[in-house]
Amino acid sequence: MTITTSSHVSTSPRALVLREAFEQGRLIKVAGAHDGLSGRLAEEAGFDALWASGLEISAAHGLPDVSLLGMSEYLSGASAMQQAVSIPVVADCDTGFGGDLNAAYTMMRYEGAGIAGVCIEDKIFPKRNSFLDNGQVLLEADEFGRKLEAAKRAQTRDETVLIARTEAFIAGMGVEEALSRCHQYVDAGADAVLVHSKLAEASEVISFMREWNHRAPVVVVPTTYSAFSVQEAQAAGVSMVIYANQGMRASVRAVRDTWATVIAEGSTASVEPHIATVKDIFSLSGIDEWLGDDK
Ligand code: SPV
Ligand code: MG
């Protein structure tokens, strides 16, 4: 397969930030987001990067994370985020939205939108969210390796980071399978690996780290094993920790409680002290940059 991409290849400073952090062994703290505003809140809190979460972007459309939206819709979410913040965005690109050619096209389009990191996972298309019990079916490792190679061939900037995610633990396989897949994925050109787990403690991730021997940077998503701290991740040799959906979960609880109070009380008076001001929304959405003193 020959893929023709734009001949003009500029440097992406945001992708460089990611690549350099990986090289220097600095732990990167990443927050899940689904649009410009949720991205800005994470940047303001001090996160190093954003995760353009497939779960969050799907849920924001009122849809489950089961491959219903298309690549353009996920890209539009990731791109809105990347435009709103100055930190890098790591895009959750599911399976690469199809086969090898789709993975190549995904890389082409996400890189074109200035996205710093592209993550694809070794499940079959259509995929289902990792926390759903059924339908966690993996591609053969060789086949996923070819998908990674196709994405790499489509890449035009050296600094863009391709993350290969294994769902071996999610599919009930052991550490040997997770390790052998990740070695194969790095051989195929992945710059880092994401090892997902849905256990209540970090045991799978920790046993993976013991055997992995720092071959390439490792990304983890401690959603179910929430007690796993940044310090423990660092001690285990992890390079990137993604808090994939806690921001959306916090918003859902806050909005639900607020609306319930308004319906129960018949006015917004008692919620006012607990909700952000309109001025805060103006400020988060960049009013100063757009209008300056002319507000
Ligand atoms: C996402 O945020 O969409 C992820 C992480 O891929 S998880 O929901 O844990 O699969
Ligand atoms: Mg996802």
Side-chain angles (χ1 to χ4, degrees):
M1 183 180 60
T2 309
I3 295 160
T4 312
T5 50
S6 157
S7 57
H8 176 73
V9 182
S10 56
T11 305
S12 161
R14 287 154 174 158
L16 267 178
V17 167
L18 274 191
R19 191 163 277 281
E20 283 171 7
F22 277 156
E23 279 163 12
Q24 294 159 6
R26 261 186 293 123
L27 187 94
I28 308 164
K29 285 172 268 170
V30 185
H34 55 276
D35 59 12
L37 188 67
S38 53
R40 285 232 168 109
L41 285 167
E43 180 176 45
E44 179 189 78
F47 282 94
D48 305 304
L50 301 180
W51 169 247
S53 159
L55 170 70
E56 285 205 13
I57 295 172
S58 303
H61 284 73
L63 289 169
D65 182 20
V66 295
S67 302
L68 296 175
L69 295 177
M71 189 265 271
S72 314
E73 289 158 306
Y74 288 113
L75 174 59
S76 149
S79 175
M81 268 171 243
Q82 188 64 92
Q83 283 169 45
V85 299
S86 54
I87 53 179
V89 171
V90 177
D92 174 6
C93 295
D94 286 355
T95 62
F97 309 110
D100 298 4
L101 294 180
N102 302 87
Y105 185 57
T106 295
M107 174 58 84
M108 200 184 283
R109 294 290 309 275
Y110 276 72
E111 239 197 354
I115 306 292
V118 165
C119 177
I120 62 173
E121 67 194 51
D122 57 3
K123 285 215 293 257
I124 56 156
F125 175 86
K127 56 123 295 169
R128 291 180 175 193
N129 184 269
S130 308
F131 298 127
L132 293 167
D133 287 338
N134 300 319
Q136 303 299 337
V137 186
L138 266 53
L139 269 188
E140 291 299 324
D142 287 347
E143 217 176 316
F144 188 64
R146 286 194 289 277
K147 210 182 247 197
L148 292 167
E149 284 164 6
K152 265 288 158 192
R153 279 198 298 272
Q155 184 179 325
T156 56
R157 292 190 194 104
D158 288 344
E159 60 274 18
T160 302
V161 170
L162 176 64
I163 302 173
R165 162 171 165 176
T166 187
E167 295 277 286
F169 289 136
I170 298 294
M173 296 164 174
V175 70
E176 291 309 320
E177 181 69 21
L179 283 162
S180 102
R181 281 179 173 262
C182 287
H183 280 296
Q184 205 168 329
Y185 301 163
V186 173
D187 291 342
D191 300 292
V193 295
L194 187 159
V195 182
H196 204 5
S197 169
K198 58 178 178 185
L199 294 189
E201 2 74 45
S203 52
E204 286 176 333
V205 161
I206 288 169
S207 56
F208 178 94
M209 293 308 298
R210 282 206 192 102
E211 305 285 325
W212 179 245
N213 218 5
H214 300 282
R215 166 131 197 242
V218 176
V219 182
V220 300
V221 187
T223 304
T224 51
Y225 50 103
S226 58
F228 189 58
S229 67
V230 161
Q231 291 74 20
E232 286 170 295
Q234 204 140 26
V238 166
S239 298
M240 180 185 281
V241 176
I242 300 179
Y243 300 104
N245 50 47
Q246 289 80 1
M248 177 174 259
R249 288 160 58 201
S251 321
V252 165
R253 164 98 35 117
V255 172
R256 183 181 277 143
D257 290 351
T258 299
W259 286 142
T261 304
V262 173
I263 287 290
E265 297 183 357
S267 91
T268 62
S270 82
V271 302
E272 273 299 335
H274 308 292
I275 61 179
T277 60
V278 172
K279 220 171 161 188
D280 194 1
I281 304 297
F282 281 164
S283 150
L284 274 168
S285 47
I287 196 79
D288 289 341
E289 290 83 342
W290 284 93
L291 295 186
D293 291 332
D294 184 25
K295 284 181 236 164

